[in-house]
Amino acid sequence: WAYPERVRADVAAAVPLADHVIVILHSGFEYIEEPSEPQIAAAHAAIEAGATLVIGHHAHILQGVEYYLDGVILYGLGNFAFNIEGPPETAIANIWLDKNGVRQLEIVPAMVTETGQPRLATFDEAATILQRVYFLTTILNPVKPGP
């Protein structure tokens, strides 16, 4: 299980060995758009310990992106290469890293077909997917009021 203390220790041990530590986190409740408390705690522990990027999977649904401390957390990109009960909307993440961390993040909308094969989303499908990811991302990254 992704206990935050264990995630923190494992990431801290890996940080001196690499330019970037990327954590692939199997967590979240299936078909729930909002990341769960344990999912958030594990992802935050990874970033707090020095991970650059956390990519979550398991919820089988699109979830938002959180910009946390100096890291980026993609909680869930949906399904990709298989068809199960659930929404067909999915996404591909193109991520560019530089010495300071995540330099650029691109979400490429896609759909999982009835045969379980991914395909790029049409223009209309892409707009819907990007709007959903943006909405879920704004929930995770509320704008803080100024002085």
Side-chain angles (χ1 to χ4, degrees):
W1 296 103
Y3 296 112
E5 306 79 32
R6 185 169 181 179
V7 170
R8 191 174 282 109
D10 288 347
V11 170
V15 166
L17 306 174
D19 292 331
H20 294 286
V21 174
I22 299 171
V23 175
I24 307 298
L25 189 61
H26 185 95
S27 66
F29 295 112
E30 292 181 356
Y31 313 115
I32 304 295
E33 289 181 325
E34 298 83 18
S36 66
E37 287 184 28
Q39 188 179 5
I40 293 169
H44 283 188
I47 298 296
E48 290 164 1
T52 301
L53 175 66
V54 175
I55 301 172
H57 68 97
H58 179 70
H60 302 287
I61 195 165
L62 291 168
Q63 295 179 315
V65 178
E66 183 178 13
Y67 300 92
Y68 181 69
L69 301 176
D70 292 329
V72 177
I73 303 165
L74 290 85
Y75 283 102
L77 294 171
N79 288 315
F80 189 70
F82 59 96
N83 186 20
I84 62 171
E85 294 180 25
E89 294 84 6
T90 189
I92 302 161
N94 289 321
I95 301 162
W96 290 264
L97 301 171
D98 66 16
K99 66 180 180 173
N100 298 315
V102 175
R103 179 174 55 91
Q104 184 175 337
L105 168 66
E106 176 188 29
I107 301 294
V108 179
M111 298 290 284
V112 177
T113 67
E114 290 179 13
T115 60
Q117 296 174 313
R119 66 165 173 79
L120 293 176
T122 66
F123 182 80
D124 290 337
E125 291 167 340
T128 300
I129 291 168
L130 290 174
Q131 287 173 352
R132 192 73 199 147
V133 171
Y134 178 76
F135 172 75
L136 295 168
T137 298
T138 59
I139 292 170
L140 293 166
N141 300 279
V143 176
K144 296 178 179 139

